Amino acid sequence: MGLTWGPFMLTQERLKQVLHYDPSSGKWTWLKTRCWKAKMGDEAGCPNERGYINIGLFGQLYSASRLAHFYMTGNWPKFELDHINRNPSDNRWENLRQATRVENSANTRTKVNNTSGYKGVHFSKKDGKYMVRIRHNGKRLYLGEFKCPELAGLVYAEHAAKFHGEFFTT
């Protein structure tokens, strides 16, 4: 099944007529000249503000990772696509996996405003300790307070590995 836009439905066959996907590099190239800025053999797509590659095709903007899944399987992904190495422009087939929103969120970097240096850990000025919290099954769980950030980080990592499995990264 393809996505519709007006009277047009993108099929895998139609996609493969205009674009080539190299699963080992994750790069897309045009098979036909589309316009002056999309010539046959040129690399397709450009990064958005968050670094994800988008490709304009038949008047619709598509995520390159979702197109890769469609190109390789013939089906649109049911969930989000997670970039295993957390590089949003790396669309190699081996770097993509389907993930729920929660699983995809588990595979994120520590936020830039994190002062503890550890996921799920923040310093409480009031208590003078490092507090640990995690989300699981839609609920925020309190895991305790610790004097040192390293121990707090270990506690979070232990629970995150249990709750999020292969999607958890530090």
Side-chain angles (χ1 to χ4, degrees):
M1 182 177 160
L3 291 180
T4 59
W5 184 75
F8 178 77
M9 179 184 281
L10 181 61
T11 63
Q12 185 189 39
E13 178 184 1
R14 186 78 192 259
L15 175 63
K16 289 184 175 186
Q17 289 174 353
V18 294
L19 283 170
H20 174 261
Y21 170 66
D22 179 358
S24 62
S25 71
K27 303 293 182 197
W28 290 90
T29 50
W30 293 107
L31 294 174
K32 298 178 177 181
T33 297
R34 308 273 302 152
C35 64
W36 65 271
K37 58 182 179 178
K39 295 185 175 109
M40 183 172 66
D42 286 353
E43 190 171 332
C46 45
N48 67 17
E49 65 282 350
R50 294 182 8 186
Y52 292 93
I53 305 299
N54 289 323
I55 299 173
L57 190 60
F58 306 115
Q60 181 77 23
L61 198 58
Y62 294 93
S63 160
S65 59
R66 293 183 72 78
L67 280 177
H69 188 277
F70 186 55
Y71 188 96
M72 297 295 286
T73 69
N75 298 305
W76 292 100
K78 292 180 181 172
F79 302 110
E80 295 181 7
L81 284 175
D82 178 44
H83 290 78
I84 297 168
N85 69 3
R86 300 186 297 199
N87 178 349
S89 66
D90 183 354
N91 292 303
R92 291 174 297 125
W93 184 241
E94 68 183 24
N95 189 46
L96 301 174
R97 62 183 169 190
Q98 285 196 71
T100 65
R101 181 77 205 112
V102 171
E103 289 169 336
N104 203 355
S105 294
N107 185 26
T108 57
R109 290 181 169 81
T110 304
K111 305 289 183 225
V112 294
N113 62 349
N114 180 313
T115 57
S116 73
Y118 297 92
K119 277 175 132 177
V121 177
H122 80 274
F123 184 72
S124 170
K125 291 180 184 176
K126 177 183 152 200
D127 300 324
K129 294 183 181 175
Y130 293 89
M131 299 178 73
V132 183
R133 291 185 291 211
I134 192 169
R135 283 202 171 274
H136 181 59
N137 290 335
K139 296 185 180 181
R140 185 191 254 181
L141 304 175
Y142 173 75
L143 302 177
E145 298 177 356
F146 303 88
K147 289 184 179 183
C148 69
E150 295 83 8
L151 180 56
L154 286 173
V155 169
Y156 177 84
E158 179 183 322
H159 284 80
K162 182 170 67 172
F163 294 153
H164 304 300
E166 67 180 295
F167 291 91
F168 167 66
T169 54
T170 55

